[in-house]
Amino acid sequence: MSSLKLALCTAFVVLALSSTSAPAGVPVKVRLIEGTSRGFLVLRDLNGDAIAHGEMTQRPRGGRIESQLVLNFKDGSIWDEHVTFSQKDVFRVESYRLMQRGPSFPLSEIAFDRRTSGFQARTQQTKSDEVKEASGHLEMPADLYNGMALVLLKNLPPGSGISAQMAVFTPKPRLIQMTLVAEEDDVVRLGSATRTARRYLVKLEVGGLTGILASLVGKDPPDVRYWLVTGEVPAFVRFQGAMFLKGPIWRLELTTLEWRN
């Protein structure tokens, strides 16, 4: 690290660690009601090699929607993300749980619940770091949307963007800003027919002095992108980005099952 960066980091570190979280925002209005769905997925590196397969499922239960994304990696790693949300007028996360472990990831096991306002977290910053634990109270603003970027994008009015928040754990929680905006339209093919796939940028920003510190030490949250086929019923077709801080760029797409002859 240069002497300038070191000096600035030293000056900011105490204030950054004590800075407040991002202010509460406005929850996202429901335009399209979520229901039962299931899709099969393949995760590829940028060379096109498949590194994981999995499923994305969603079902109503008790007036809420339970959503799960599971990826099983060839090296034995697993990504298992659950989010339960309500959708009465606006979307609201009720509970969230993520487990990522194995050779492909630093360990991350986190969970929080709006009913109890509590969280538990076990995390590593890198694979070589020790596992750290934390638990306690978590303020959950109305626009807290961990695990819901795809749902929010499907409900994004044409020509508009959404600013929301998500919680990150190191292992103590912090709220960061999540901005979702449309970029450009790409043309895709379905057999001989063409379709329009709108590309969306999901940008994560650490606010305040902590954000300055993150930029200085090279730990800005990674940007990610989604593609949705446009129309009255938008459909997910691709995700591309890092799935954890300083992780590799991966590409997640829908896939079909293979038949045994």
Side-chain angles (χ1 to χ4, degrees):
M1 182 184 295
S2 68
S3 58
L4 174 59
K5 283 188 176 182
L6 181 58
L8 288 172
C9 286
T10 302
F12 283 137
V13 67
V14 174
L15 290 174
L17 291 176
S18 62
S19 63
T20 58
S21 299
V26 178
V28 176
K29 292 183 178 180
V30 177
R31 296 177 63 242
L32 299 174
I33 296 292
E34 294 292 316
T36 302
S37 64
R38 186 179 185 184
F40 301 100
L41 303 166
V42 58
L43 184 70
R44 302 182 186 276
D45 60 24
L46 292 184
N47 292 324
D49 296 325
I51 58 175
H53 290 83
E55 297 186 37
M56 180 168 51
T57 59
Q58 188 171 271
R59 61 180 179 179
R61 176 174 288 181
R64 298 176 176 180
I65 302 294
E66 294 182 352
S67 179
Q68 182 179 15
L69 170 62
V70 178
L71 294 170
N72 293 292
F73 286 69
K74 290 183 175 181
D75 65 7
S77 301
I78 186 168
W79 171 285
D80 189 354
E81 183 180 47
H82 293 248
V83 58
T84 299
F85 61 92
S86 55
Q87 53 180 349
K88 184 178 181 181
D89 300 326
V90 297
F91 291 106
R92 189 174 85 156
V93 170
E94 304 295 342
S95 64
Y96 178 81
R97 177 162 52 91
L98 171 67
M99 179 183 69
Q100 64 176 51
R101 59 186 179 191
S104 291
F105 306 110
L107 176 71
S108 183
E109 296 177 351
I110 62 175
F112 57 80
D113 187 280
R114 188 177 295 274
R115 181 180 58 84
T116 63
S117 297
F119 82 93
Q120 301 86 38
R122 299 178 67 239
T123 65
Q124 282 178 301
Q125 190 168 31
T126 69
K127 289 292 294 181
S128 60
D129 290 331
E130 65 175 312
V131 175
K132 296 183 179 180
E133 301 185 14
S135 62
H137 178 77
L138 173 65
E139 284 291 337
M140 297 182 63
D143 66 337
L144 180 66
Y145 286 121
N146 284 58
M148 289 194 63
L150 180 56
V151 172
L152 301 186
L153 289 174
K154 288 193 291 184
N155 285 268
L156 187 66
S160 67
I162 293 175
S163 181
Q165 299 184 76
M166 67 178 293
V168 295
F169 297 81
T170 59
K172 292 183 178 181
R174 177 175 175 82
L175 299 181
I176 66 173
Q177 289 294 125
M178 175 173 62
T179 304
L180 304 89
V181 293
E183 291 191 308
E184 296 180 0
D185 290 347
D186 295 321
V187 177
V188 293
R189 288 191 172 275
L190 179 64
S192 59
T194 59
R195 297 285 187 272
T196 298
R198 186 152 297 153
R199 186 189 335 135
Y200 294 92
L201 170 66
V202 179
K203 187 174 183 60
L204 306 177
E205 298 178 354
V206 180
L209 292 175
T210 301
I212 297 174
L213 180 62
S215 297
L216 288 172
V217 299
K219 293 182 180 179
D220 291 310
D223 297 341
V224 300
R225 286 177 170 83
Y226 289 80
W227 283 258
L228 277 70
V229 171
T230 58
E232 292 186 7
V233 182
F236 165 77
V237 288
R238 174 180 285 181
F239 160 92
Q240 182 171 297
M243 295 178 69
F244 57 94
L245 187 65
K246 289 191 175 294
I249 303 300
W250 289 331
R251 183 175 293 154
L252 185 66
E253 298 174 327
L254 294 173
T255 190
T256 58
L257 299 177
E258 296 180 3
W259 294 92
R260 286 189 175 181
N261 294 329

